[in-house]
Amino acid sequence: MTILNETHTLAGGVEIPKLGLGTWFIDDDTVAQAVRDAVEIGYRNIDTAQAYGNERGVGEGVRTAGAPRQDLFVSTKLAAEIKDYDGAVAAIDESLARMSLDHIDLMLIHSPQPWDDFRGGDYAEGNRQAWRALEEAHRAGTLRSIGVSNFQQKDLENLLATATVAPQVNQLLVHAGNTPGELLAYCESRGILVEAYSPIAHGAILTNDDVRAMAKKYGVTVPQLCIRYTLQLGTVSLPKTANPEHMRSNAQVDFEIADEDMAALRSLRARDYGEHAAFPVYSGN
């Protein structure tokens, strides 16, 4: 599982492991054990968010895991509804306190719009204010790196127009069946590393016949193929699971997808998330 030892280097010089553990939908009272299990397996990149309601448990897992704090990369996200400077300053401090950590390795603005208006109104000034708070915490050293999530090009350009520190990360919905090629290329051109959340399409890809056939060709599972796909796109991959066996399997991706198969996966369109389409990020907006 050599992927667990591989890293990208962010624009600010901080190293981030290429494979991480997503914790969305893992309850606060069980996530600490999931983090400990992941660290024991070899994971060093743990991702959470204020909106997940499990920062306390993630912090406990990080503090009690069998690895030194400096060897772990911990990310969280500023709640999407916070679009003012004072609110962002307070929320950053609250995340640090909830997690009982003296620093966070990466903090993101979770969305350019509040969830109840996702891809809706204009929150340009609010995002600039929230970003200013992240920049200050970054200068103070409590946030080692800063970025955004679900930001489109226009949202990034809005921040870049006034930022003193450019976003170092953009965490996006990226999976076989949903590959935002133009946005990925734009982020690369600006030195913004993309993290792929839901690389297994929140489970929706598991029954896709084309993807299943390709996974069989490589002798791997569908999740392994999908994770490897996002890694070969140059992103950090963040599959979510609390199951240690799935954690191990998700890290067994030391194979190479051929160019023609990568092209086929890039062109695949599969965005039917079933019941999960109720969530803004899967709504197609």
Side-chain angles (χ1 to χ4, degrees):
M1 297 188 288
T2 59
I3 190 62
L4 293 173
N5 301 317
E6 296 181 12
T7 63
H8 289 288
T9 301
L10 299 177
V14 174
E15 290 192 357
I16 178 173
K18 291 183 178 181
L19 183 66
L21 178 75
T23 63
W24 189 27
F25 279 118
I26 305 179
D27 292 340
D28 194 44
D29 58 354
T30 59
V31 73
Q33 187 58 50
V35 170
R36 288 190 289 265
D37 289 339
V39 171
E40 182 178 357
I41 289 165
Y43 285 77
R44 295 295 181 264
N45 181 350
I46 311 296
D47 179 81
T48 185
Q50 293 175 353
Y52 298 173
N54 62 10
E55 283 184 317
R56 184 211 59 80
V58 168
E60 177 189 337
V62 167
R63 296 191 314 275
T64 58
R69 171 66 183 95
Q70 64 266 24
D71 292 348
L72 302 180
F73 190 97
V74 182
S75 304
T76 193
K77 307 176 193 72
L78 185 70
E81 294 72 25
I82 298 173
K83 299 300 177 196
D84 66 284
Y85 171 78
D86 289 340
V89 169
I92 293 166
D93 289 341
E94 288 164 6
S95 280
L96 287 160
R98 261 193 306 270
M99 302 176 86
S100 296
L101 300 177
D102 61 6
H103 73 275
I104 294 168
D105 298 285
L106 172 64
M107 194 164 194
L108 313 173
I109 297 176
H110 206 158
S111 168
Q113 301 87 21
W115 294 124
D116 62 3
D117 193 25
F118 188 61
R119 304 298 186 217
D122 182 3
Y123 299 89
E125 178 57 28
N127 285 316
R128 287 194 290 266
Q129 293 299 318
W131 187 252
R132 182 160 65 92
L134 291 182
E135 288 180 319
E136 289 187 0
H138 180 255
R139 283 195 294 273
T142 51
L143 304 179
R144 294 181 67 221
S145 47
I146 53 178
V148 296
S149 182
N150 298 299
F151 271 50
Q152 297 177 323
Q153 182 173 333
K154 65 178 181 178
D155 305 311
L156 291 165
E157 290 172 343
N158 169 60
L159 289 188
L160 289 167
T162 58
T164 59
V165 178
Q168 294 155 341
V169 166
N170 190 9
Q171 191 177 120
L172 298 169
L173 177 62
V174 180
H175 60 79
N178 183 71
T179 308
E182 290 185 7
L183 184 53
L184 291 173
Y186 175 78
C187 289
E188 183 178 7
S189 75
R190 301 308 298 256
I192 301 169
L193 180 68
V194 170
E195 292 185 302
Y197 70 78
S198 296
I200 311 168
H202 208 57
I205 203 76
L206 295 174
T207 59
N208 184 284
D209 289 340
D210 292 332
V211 176
R212 290 173 68 180
M214 190 180 294
K216 184 177 180 180
K217 168 184 171 181
Y218 285 93
V220 298
T221 66
V222 169
Q224 287 167 339
L225 180 77
C226 291
I227 291 165
R228 183 68 205 180
Y229 171 67
T230 56
L231 291 168
Q232 285 186 218
L233 287 175
T235 73
V236 168
S237 194
L238 296 171
K240 186 277 296 183
T241 183
N243 184 319
E245 289 308 311
H246 291 171
M247 293 176 194
R248 290 188 184 90
S249 178
N250 289 346
Q252 292 169 350
V253 290
D254 296 331
F255 64 98
E256 192 79 14
I257 301 174
D259 289 347
E260 61 269 23
D261 290 330
M262 284 294 293
L265 292 172
R266 277 194 194 93
S267 64
L268 183 68
R269 298 293 177 265
R271 303 187 182 110
D272 182 2
Y273 304 102
E275 62 182 303
H276 305 298
F279 292 101
V281 294
Y282 301 128
S283 65
N285 292 332

